[in-house]
Amino acid sequence: MHDALDELPLAVDRAAATPLAVQVADGLRAAATAGRLRGGDRLPSSRALAARLGVSRTVITAAYEQLHAEGWLSGRQGSGTYLTASPAPRPERDRIAAEPHPEAAHLDLGAGAPCIEAIDRAAWRRAWRNAGDRIPPARRDRAGDPEYRAAVAEHLLRHRGLGAGSDTVVLATSGASAAVGELAAALLRPGATVAMEDPGYQRAVGAFRAAGVRVLPVPVDGDGLRVEDIPPGVEAVYCTPAHQFPLGARMPAARRVELIEFARRTGAFVIEDDYDGELRYDTAPLPLLATLAPDVVVHLGTTSKILAPVLGIGWLVGPPRVTKAVLAHREHTGTGPATAGQQVVVELARHGDLARHLRRLRRAMPPRRAIVVAEFRRRGLDILGDDAGSHLVVRLPSATAEQRVTAAARRRGILLEGLAGHHLGPRQTFGIALGYAAVARADLPAAVRTVADCLADAGADRRPGFANRQP
């Protein structure tokens, strides 16, 4: 096993007045304080370090005993001696300069963060450990780890009713935004136009624009994107039909058929971002657009909402002409999704932990949503959106009210997300998109009461919301 001191400079000065054991202890302590040694690093045996430094074993034993007494080291039966302490605190001036932004101490109730509390920590550790035991491939598969693609295909079939057959191909991606950028670069010429829900997902807008594509806003209503308002000449349409982001509407069957007919009539393709389609509680979700029209729809999914963004992976399901173009783009640019996150998902799926996690997540989210809904209704506040996902929207009368609410909440230790940041064209809707997944369950009731106070003070809209489908 590799010892932490193998490449660490450590020496003793026999001519110095300081005893050799103190020099050794000081050197190790300084290395730990500077971060060159870290908690969990294994130190050499006293015999090995004594031979390396040319001193007696008694010197090293005395140094180790001193560090043990100070709490820097611990011994493990049959394993060795390990550094356990963290580096000593830095001077106050340096500590303050390096501290994170004050908002890091706030409760984040913005939309889009996952419910980390629902993760089974034992299963999570086991998946990472098993993934780490795999021998890494010498070359990366541009399409993604075959086992990961198979796991995604099984997941989509079981949980979203999408069967990948001969007319579609599953690719691994680095997440939805990255997939949007790849589709734009692979399929659209610079200057091409794409229709986009407004308000909508602005990171998708950024990905399109980074590829030189123009993004045209299309208004949404209680049924999602308004197909009749799609500008002529667009080459693609981006939408979130299962749970419109951020307003929360579900696109009904008639509107879905209308969108598919538009795509087939004009030659445009549809990008279906199913960012949280697994999180529906009131009723079974409608069939995916990709199920209805695999010839003109590219389906995108992500692990960032159902597991954690740290995995950095998602998937793309599309017709062969689309996936071939994406793979050619990856080969040309040398890009592609990282393998580590894919292998973690493979291990979660292999042991049934992924399916168990989704069941646990579906049980955990409705009570969280109920806390928010009950408090807001008690205050007479109107809620927009279906009973699904991990966020909801409260409408406000103006941009000024929206700013007042977010500022008041921040002063009280809560980060909120206004709808201003989700608009591409002229502002149509004002309000707060409130996420209820990421905050600890124990902290949620008090946080929601605080938000309700801020909303009521700002005059939140109490009229019936066009997307309100609460029972």
Side-chain angles (χ1 to χ4, degrees), residues 95-312:
R95 183 187 63 79
I96 292 174
E99 279 183 348
H101 192 280
E103 287 186 350
H106 287 53
L107 290 178
D108 186 353
L109 268 68
C115 184
I116 300 299
E117 274 191 342
I119 294 176
D120 181 332
R121 303 304 171 89
W124 182 254
R125 288 192 298 269
R126 180 171 60 245
W128 280 96
R129 184 172 59 249
N130 290 347
D133 286 339
R134 289 166 167 248
I135 298 176
R139 292 185 181 274
R140 181 167 51 180
D141 190 329
R142 301 287 179 199
D145 185 314
E147 289 185 273
Y148 171 75
R149 295 166 64 198
V152 168
E154 176 68 16
H155 167 80
L156 291 174
L157 181 62
R158 292 180 58 187
H159 299 281
R160 301 300 286 122
L162 176 60
S166 58
D167 53 351
T168 57
V169 179
V170 178
L171 299 183
T173 70
S174 299
S177 299
V180 167
E182 288 187 316
L183 289 169
L187 297 172
L188 302 173
R189 68 188 188 284
T193 56
V194 170
M196 169 88 183
E197 300 167 327
D198 192 42
Y201 186 44
Q202 295 305 297
R203 288 183 180 173
V205 174
F208 281 126
R209 287 177 170 170
V213 174
R214 294 175 57 220
V215 185
L216 304 179
V218 179
V220 299
D221 59 20
D223 289 335
L225 180 139
R226 292 173 56 87
V227 177
E228 66 268 28
D229 291 329
I230 297 176
V234 300
E235 297 185 26
V237 179
Y238 171 94
C239 60
T240 51
H243 191 219
Q244 199 278 326
F245 186 85
L247 298 185
R250 173 178 48 182
M251 185 180 286
R255 182 73 61 87
R256 294 174 185 236
V257 171
E258 185 183 1
L259 178 57
I260 291 168
E261 290 177 345
F262 168 86
R264 287 175 172 160
R265 183 174 67 252
T266 63
F269 67 94
V270 177
I271 301 173
E272 174 186 39
D273 189 345
D274 194 48
Y275 68 98
D276 68 353
E278 296 90 348
L279 304 181
R280 178 160 290 281
Y281 325 117
D282 58 345
T283 184
L286 289 168
L288 293 169
L289 290 176
T291 300
L292 300 174
D295 55 321
V296 295
V297 176
V298 180
H299 172 84
L300 304 182
T302 180
T303 60
S304 66
K305 304 299 184 292
I306 59 174
L307 283 167
V310 69
L311 294 173

Side-chain angles (χ1 to χ4, degrees), residues 142 182 185-186 324-336:
R142 301 287 179 199
E182 288 187 316
K324 285 179 181 178
V326 170
L327 288 175
H329 169 72
R330 290 180 180 178
E331 195 63 40
H332 178 69
T333 59
T335 57

Side-chain angles (χ1 to χ4, degrees), residues 106 400-414 416 432 454:
H106 287 53
T400 301
E402 188 176 296
Q403 293 167 358
R404 284 203 306 267
V405 170
T406 55
R410 186 177 294 108
R411 288 193 297 270
R412 299 179 68 172
I414 294 175
L416 292 179
I432 299 296
C454 296

Side-chain angles (χ1 to χ4, degrees), residues 347-401:
E347 294 300 330
L348 288 170
R350 185 195 310 279
H351 298 283
D353 292 320
L354 180 58
R356 280 189 289 273
H357 170 72
L358 289 175
R359 290 194 294 271
R360 190 162 50 249
L361 196 59
R362 292 191 185 105
R363 290 194 301 269
M365 297 306 292
R368 287 171 171 263
R369 184 180 181 90
I371 290 171
V372 182
V373 171
E375 181 63 27
F376 285 0
R377 282 185 172 169
R378 189 176 70 82
R379 304 293 188 94
L381 301 172
D382 182 51
I383 301 167
L384 307 184
D386 269 9
D387 188 5
S390 58
H391 79 278
L392 50 75
V393 170
V394 177
R395 197 184 342 227
L396 289 166
S398 66
T400 301

